[in-house]
Amino acid sequence: MSGNNLSISLHSPFVHPGKVKNNIEEHLKLIIGSEANINVFPELSLSGYHCGDIFFNKKYINECYEGIRKINEACLLNKTLAVFGCPLEINNSLYNCAVICGLENNIVARAKVELAVSQEYYEQRWFKSGIYLNDNSSFINKNLKIKVKSTLSNIDINFDSYAVRFAIDICEDAWAEISPSMLIDSPDLILNLSASSDTISSRQARRFMMKGISERKKCPYLYVSGSTGESTSISLLNNIHLVYSGNNDLERYFSSNK
């Protein structure tokens, strides 16, 4: 990673499933108010994770695309990057994606591979796995052009004076036999955008997972999960922010909206 010291903020905005305009404003408020170089948000943070069959509503998905445009403009103006979760329709199928905004030439996206289908999760109802997407896949909307990156591709980012290689896991991806982040050659940092339930058993397992991947890839692993605003009677989301660095044995646990 080249450039001066890099600062990263993890955010769990109060998400309103079904109200994209509110979610856009929450993202913009945090991005504009942040002094970080990179602002990271949870899985499907722009749409909301617990939207149910609203994901089938084309108008709702189009509102998300307008959010991407506004966030990208804000990032370019403030010379910062934002990495957040958003559904994208690619080749007539809907994908659960991580979107990177704030680059001069491209908006970049990577789709979730390991869809959550056990217990309270049934993502296959709305989304298709990104396992078969390649770098020739593209998303083009009347106001947007997004470069889709495959699971096997490095995400090399150049902005301001920084050159950064990202690896991205989206929640369940990290629990695969081989996570997408493990396939990236020498990443500078790994981001995990999640909407995972906060249970007693999951807390320790999550930390062991991060520790293992961070130490094997020899880079920091940053995890951010959804806000309490998305909690339901069967799924508790709890503003979980985790950072683990295998380089200096640093581990921190947050429960905040910072």
Side-chain angles (χ1 to χ4, degrees), residues 165-181:
R165 175 165 291 179
F166 286 112
I168 296 178
D169 291 329
I170 303 176
C171 199
E172 195 76 6
D173 284 345
W175 303 99
E177 184 174 353
I178 300 177
S179 69
S181 59

Side-chain angles (χ1 to χ4, degrees), residues 186-199:
S186 302
D188 293 307
L189 56 91
I190 301 170
L191 305 178
N192 187 316
L193 283 62
S194 179
S196 179
S197 296
D198 182 24
T199 64

Side-chain angles (χ1 to χ4, degrees), residues 70-199:
K70 289 182 177 180
I71 290 172
N72 190 54
E73 289 177 352
C75 286
L76 290 172
L77 184 64
N78 288 273
K79 295 184 178 180
T80 187
L81 295 185
V83 187
F84 56 93
C86 183
L88 293 180
E89 186 175 344
I90 305 167
N91 301 331
N92 298 315
S93 295
L94 197 64
Y95 293 85
N96 178 345
C97 293
V99 178
I100 303 174
C101 284
L103 305 170
E104 289 293 340
N105 299 320
N106 288 304
I107 300 171
V108 176
R110 194 185 79 70
K112 186 174 185 176
V113 172
E114 297 290 331
L115 301 181
V117 295
S118 62
Q119 298 178 352
E120 70 266 37
Y121 301 107
Y122 44 105
E123 293 178 17
Q124 286 180 350
R125 178 175 174 82
W126 311 291
F127 303 112
K128 187 174 181 179
S129 169
I131 189 67
Y132 297 113
L133 290 178
N134 56 52
D135 287 352
N136 294 320
S137 303
S138 62
F139 172 89
I140 300 176
N141 183 269
K142 61 182 179 180
N143 294 318
L144 293 172
K145 184 175 181 181
I146 298 176
K147 176 65 176 177
V148 178
K149 303 291 287 186
S150 77
T151 306
L152 298 174
S153 297
N154 298 329
I155 302 178
D156 293 316
I157 299 301
N158 292 284
F159 76 105
D160 201 7
S161 60
Y162 300 97
V164 184
R165 175 165 291 179
F166 286 112
I168 296 178
D169 291 329
I170 303 176
C171 199
E172 195 76 6
D173 284 345
W175 303 99
E177 184 174 353
I178 300 177
S179 69
S181 59
M182 290 298 297
L183 300 174
I184 302 303
D185 181 37
S186 302
D188 293 307
L189 56 91
I190 301 170
L191 305 178
N192 187 316
L193 283 62
S194 179
S196 179
S197 296
D198 182 24
T199 64

Side-chain angles (χ1 to χ4, degrees), residues 5-124:
N5 292 332
L6 193 71
S7 60
I8 303 171
S9 285
L10 306 180
H11 303 284
S12 292
F14 192 94
V15 172
H16 309 255
K19 297 181 179 180
V20 174
K21 291 181 180 179
N22 296 63
N23 299 337
I24 295 170
E25 291 304 315
E26 291 286 345
H27 282 67
L28 291 174
K29 180 173 64 176
L30 290 168
I31 291 168
I32 293 170
S34 172
E35 297 181 355
N37 303 113
I38 303 174
N39 296 279
V40 187
F41 295 85
E43 178 182 14
L44 293 174
S45 59
L46 200 57
S47 61
Y49 182 85
H50 291 296
C51 284
D53 286 353
I54 297 176
F55 286 122
F56 292 136
N57 188 312
K58 293 278 189 178
K59 182 178 182 294
Y60 191 73
I61 300 302
N62 285 332
E63 288 179 359
C64 292
Y65 302 157
E66 178 64 12
I68 296 174
R69 184 187 65 79
K70 289 182 177 180
I71 290 172
N72 190 54
E73 289 177 352
C75 286
L76 290 172
L77 184 64
N78 288 273
K79 295 184 178 180
T80 187
L81 295 185
V83 187
F84 56 93
C86 183
L88 293 180
E89 186 175 344
I90 305 167
N91 301 331
N92 298 315
S93 295
L94 197 64
Y95 293 85
N96 178 345
C97 293
V99 178
I100 303 174
C101 284
L103 305 170
E104 289 293 340
N105 299 320
N106 288 304
I107 300 171
V108 176
R110 194 185 79 70
K112 186 174 185 176
V113 172
E114 297 290 331
L115 301 181
V117 295
S118 62
Q119 298 178 352
E120 70 266 37
Y121 301 107
Y122 44 105
E123 293 178 17
Q124 286 180 350

